[in-house]
Amino acid sequence: MHTVSGGEVAGILVAVFWAILVSFLAVALARLAQTLRATTKLVADVTDQAVPLLADASTAVRSAQTQIERVDAIASDVQEVTSNASALSTTVASTFGGPLVKVAAFGYGVRRAVSGRKEDAPAKTRRDVIVGRTVPGARRDKRTRGKKD
């Protein structure tokens, strides 16, 4: 019989250790390969779903751009109408404002003249309302009260 030396036992132990190590590495590589296949499938599925979503998003962005252009056109039209209304208001105020003020002043003068000619009428006291209370109106000067024109 052959006796086994210490070097041979050490060689057998190293060989067994390497066999176990290679087995563990093979199992780990098999699981890693399985995980990579699942990841590749997942990425492919996401890509298949993302392409239509990106197309829909692109369509939505184009539609939003069209709507923004429409709103911009409407806003510029509103600005033009506002400036035209302002110009029209200024024109009407300058055209009719002066003559209406003159007519109102003339009417006021006629009323004052007619009310000043009435000698039998009792003097009316005019009162203005200011912040919830009444204040007597302006009184005529005493010197002009008794004089006749």
Side-chain angles (χ1 to χ4, degrees):
M1 269 218 161
H2 179 41
T3 59
V4 181
S5 70
E8 290 175 346
V9 172
I12 291 173
L13 287 175
V14 169
V16 169
F17 174 74
W18 279 109
I20 293 172
L21 181 64
V22 167
S23 298
F24 283 127
L25 289 176
V27 170
L29 285 176
R31 288 186 181 174
L32 181 62
Q34 186 180 15
T35 304
L36 286 175
R37 277 192 297 271
T39 305
T40 303
K41 184 178 182 287
L42 180 65
V43 168
D45 290 344
V46 168
T47 303
D48 291 343
Q49 292 176 2
V51 169
L53 288 176
L54 290 175
D56 291 344
S58 176
T59 303
V61 167
R62 279 193 219 107
S63 175
Q65 180 65 28
T66 303
Q67 296 299 327
I68 287 173
E69 289 171 357
R70 288 180 183 169
V71 168
D72 188 37
I74 290 169
S76 65
D77 290 344
V78 167
Q79 184 178 10
E80 184 178 341
V81 167
T82 302
S83 65
N84 289 343
S86 176
L88 179 64
S89 172
T90 303
T91 302
V92 167
S94 65
T95 302
F96 296 114
L100 285 178
V101 169
K102 291 178 183 176
V103 168
F106 178 75
Y108 177 75
V110 169
R111 274 187 281 137
R112 286 286 293 217
V114 169
S115 68
R117 301 267 175 174
K118 294 181 183 176
E119 296 175 4
D120 297 337
K124 293 183 180 179
T125 307
R126 184 176 142 204
R127 297 184 181 267
D128 296 327
V129 176
I130 299 174
V131 191
R133 62 187 180 115
T134 57
V135 177
R139 295 195 175 112
R140 292 185 186 152
D141 190 14
K142 291 182 180 180
R143 290 178 275 161
T144 59
R145 215 180 253 183
K147 295 183 182 176
K148 294 184 182 178
D149 292 333

